[in-house]
Amino acid sequence: MLDKLLYIETFGCQMNVNDSERIVTMLADLGYAATNDPASSDMILLNTCSVRGGAEEKVYRRLANLRIYKRDGKKQIIAVGGCVAQQEGEELLRKLPYLDLVIGTHNLHLLPEMVRGAERGERRSETTFIDNDQRLDLFPSIKGESRLSRFVTVMQGCDNFCSYCIVPFVRGREISRRSADILSEIRQLVDEGVREVILLGQNVNSYGLKSEHEPSFPELLHQVAAIDGINRVRFTTSHPKDMSDELIACFADVPKLSGQIHLPAQSGSDAVLKLMGRGYTRDSYLAKVRKLKALRPDIVFTGDIIVGFPGETEADFEQTLSLMEEVRYIDLFSFVYSPRPGTKAAELVDDLSRTVKMARLDRLMELQRRHTREISQTYIGSVMSVLVEGEGKLPGQVSGKADIGRIVNFTGDTSLIGSFVDVKIAKAYPNSLLGEL
Ligand code: 5AD
Ligand code: SF4
């Protein structure tokens, strides 16, 4: 019986979104139903992100605000999970007397017993890394309402240690799930009505490389695409250095593979890429982009860029803009560099002023808006296959995702939800397309 209410707020990346779904599944067994209202909930959990400084402070502010719900007499469990929890551990319990639970990124399987303890008034923090195969068996699965498109974790953690990045410290070493488990999870999802899967990991294209028994990522993609009932496959995120020719070839050989790829460049300057420890050059990145475009001319790229990395000169920054001109991303996530304690880059001299960094970010975003607009305009008049996922923004409209990942709204009946339909694009907006069935 679900007689208690759980309120979760999720920050940061898709990994956290996925973990939050796992948490909802696990705590349902303890009688917790998800709610959108923190005030009336019996438990509040913040699933946190520490990849940039701002996100961390946001968590502290949010916790301070949510505390108002923990009024005298009312028993409410307050928990912090995710990357800030992993990083701060016990310290959070010491700093925040109203906090009950701190749960690290490798410890989700302990959450049910921790919550039972907290219901009896115990405070507890668990943040031990499990960097062996045991972690795979502790991987709680998601049972949930059936949706058409679902994330499936294929690997966790990261071994790359890019000099700016906190992820290897808060998510631990890279570990790949067994392909047999991944494939059976996807078959199960198909039975629940799922038509599209998005293979998820910090660095999916190094999947299986550390194991003799598992397929490589391209082989895994072929196996996933071979599953009957799956109509479309995507993946995120991939590291350019691990973008092998074999994987590039999948964009021609695997028709179910989506024509959109997220390939974070981080910078267009060789000097900065070297300081970042990314393991590729501007030229080798662009060579891969050109190969992908040659194999699949309609492919679209999305990416991540950091501006204002320590020592980034005006010339370095212009290299980034020129890389953007060559790639022409349809969408770009851009960030001002934020030093993360314990990372190598945090020791570099960072003497660029905030004003310069923000001005660069503005220029970059302006260029990106132009590219998004120009690329989107080229779709007008074309026909796209859209997986209809739900109602649209306006009455009478339905909405779905095209193969290239763009949201497409069009006038149509809700009976279309769940099917792939051909839609002719009539208008392009910054974040979506409007079409006709
Ligand atoms: N500062 C700014 N951006 C960062 N990212 C990761 N670490 C930092 C940092 N310290 C960005 C990268 C990464 C994305 C998820 O977040 O662009 O690809
Ligand atoms: Fe961070 Fe680099 Fe690993 Fe991505 S590949 S998670 S940026 S260390």
Side-chain angles (χ1 to χ4, degrees):
M1 193 179 68
L2 300 177
D3 54 357
K4 287 167 279 189
L5 293 171
L6 165 68
Y7 172 80
I8 297 196
E9 250 173 59
T10 309
F11 299 82
C13 70
Q14 214 38 250
M15 271 290 164
N16 270 4
V17 174
N18 211 239
D19 283 346
S20 286
E21 291 185 11
R22 256 177 257 290
I23 291 169
V24 169
T25 300
M26 280 188 292
L27 294 191
D29 291 341
L30 263 66
Y32 286 85
T35 172
N36 290 325
D37 174 30
S40 64
S41 70
D42 299 280
M43 172 167 173
I44 293 180
L45 188 145
L46 297 195
N47 198 358
T48 62
C49 169
S50 60
V51 84
R52 284 171 297 276
E56 214 171 287
E57 279 135 33
K58 214 157 112 192
V59 171
Y60 289 122
R61 273 201 307 276
R62 194 69 190 121
L63 270 177
N65 283 339
L66 285 170
R67 227 198 107 184
I68 55 171
Y69 297 120
K70 198 161 179 167
R71 290 193 194 93
D72 301 11
K74 186 176 171 206
K75 219 167 144 212
Q76 189 178 39
I77 299 169
I78 306 223
V80 177
C83 296
V84 176
Q86 184 62 44
Q87 204 176 307
E88 303 291 320
E90 297 254 354
E91 191 59 27
L92 275 177
L93 283 187
R94 264 193 295 276
K95 270 193 209 152
L96 308 170
Y98 55 86
L99 187 63
D100 301 289
L101 299 176
V102 177
I103 176 116
T105 56
H106 288 191
N107 306 97
L108 280 191
H109 61 287
L110 296 175
L111 190 61
E113 68 176 66
M114 290 171 74
V115 171
R116 265 186 231 110
E119 286 169 349
R120 296 187 301 264
E122 288 166 25
R123 304 176 76 217
R124 183 167 162 195
S125 159
E126 290 292 345
T127 54
T128 314
F129 268 165
I130 304 169
D131 273 328
N132 55 43
D133 271 10
Q134 208 201 341
R135 190 157 118 219
L136 297 170
D137 297 319
L138 297 173
F139 200 91
S141 64
I142 301 172
K143 291 195 277 298
E145 85 260 41
S146 118
R147 264 176 289 135
L148 296 161
S149 172
R150 287 279 277 267
F151 285 91
V152 174
T153 303
V154 300
M155 52 84 68
Q156 297 179 322
C158 183
D159 289 350
N160 286 315
F161 289 91
C162 301
S163 66
Y164 51 82
C165 186
I166 196 81
V167 165
F169 300 95
V170 290
R171 288 275 164 178
R173 292 298 67 72
E174 179 181 310
I175 190 161
S176 294
R177 274 179 85 194
R178 292 181 203 99
S179 55
D181 293 347
I182 297 169
L183 296 170
S184 76
E185 180 176 330
I186 295 175
R187 283 190 208 100
Q188 167 90 42
L189 291 176
V190 169
D191 290 344
E192 291 172 22
V194 169
R195 311 286 301 274
E196 172 189 88
V197 286
I198 308 157
L199 307 180
L200 179 67
Q202 244 78 41
N203 194 187
V204 290
N205 48 4
S206 62
Y207 172 85
L209 293 183
K210 294 209 291 197
S211 160
E212 286 167 20
H213 316 290
E214 295 301 340
S216 67
F217 187 63
E219 286 162 351
L220 181 72
L221 265 185
H222 279 275
Q223 293 172 9
V224 170
I227 295 178
D228 272 344
I230 286 296
N231 295 62
R232 208 192 256 156
V233 184
R234 307 176 185 279
F235 58 82
T236 194
T237 286
S238 38
H239 193 304
K241 81 171 163 46
D242 296 317
M243 196 71 205
S244 62
D245 282 345
E246 208 189 342
L247 181 53
I248 290 174
C250 288
F251 282 86
D253 303 343
V254 184
K256 288 181 187 175
L257 184 57
S258 139
Q260 178 250 328
I261 177 166
H262 188 69
L263 200 61
Q266 310 298 359
S267 168
S269 148
D270 280 340
V272 174
L273 286 172
K274 193 152 188 228
L275 279 176
M276 287 177 165
R278 289 289 285 174
Y280 55 86
T281 60
R282 170 196 178 84
D283 280 351
S284 65
Y285 179 89
L286 287 173
K288 289 179 188 194
V289 167
R290 277 193 295 270
K291 271 190 197 167
L292 283 159
K293 285 182 176 173
L295 277 178
R296 186 126 171 203
D298 58 347
I299 197 166
V300 303
F301 293 87
T302 55
D304 296 342
I305 296 278
I306 298 176
V307 301
F309 190 80
E312 183 190 73
T313 62
E314 174 61 25
D316 290 323
F317 175 65
E318 280 167 15
Q319 289 273 301
T320 295
L321 296 181
S322 93
L323 178 123
M324 286 170 63
E325 293 282 9
E326 291 207 33
V327 179
R328 291 181 64 88
Y329 298 99
I330 193 163
D331 243 332
L332 191 68
F333 302 93
S334 46
F335 312 100
V336 169
Y337 168 72
S338 146
R340 306 282 66 220
T343 59
K344 242 165 108 185
E347 287 156 29
L348 297 172
V349 180
D350 181 11
D351 53 8
L352 273 179
S353 72
R354 178 98 194 139
T355 322
V356 169
K357 290 182 184 180
M358 293 313 290
R360 286 185 187 166
L361 185 68
D362 280 348
R363 281 161 71 193
L364 184 146
M365 286 168 63
E366 181 56 38
L367 177 61
Q368 185 52 47
R369 276 193 291 273
R370 177 158 71 74
H371 286 165
T372 303
R373 197 169 51 235
E374 286 173 1
I375 298 169
S376 302
Q377 295 290 336
T378 66
Y379 296 132
I380 294 175
S382 71
V383 175
M384 293 184 171
S385 170
V386 174
L387 171 56
V388 189
E389 294 192 58
E391 289 179 30
K393 269 196 199 142
L394 299 175
Q397 274 189 347
V398 287
S399 171
K401 245 188 288 140
D403 183 57
I404 54 164
R406 290 265 116 181
I407 292 178
V408 180
N409 293 297
F410 61 98
T411 303
D413 195 76
T414 49
S415 62
L416 295 173
I417 293 171
S419 51
F420 284 84
V421 294
D422 285 340
V423 178
K424 189 168 177 183
I425 305 305
K427 232 176 150 184
Y429 297 105
N431 298 312
S432 65
L433 300 167
L434 180 70
E436 284 159 26
L437 188 62

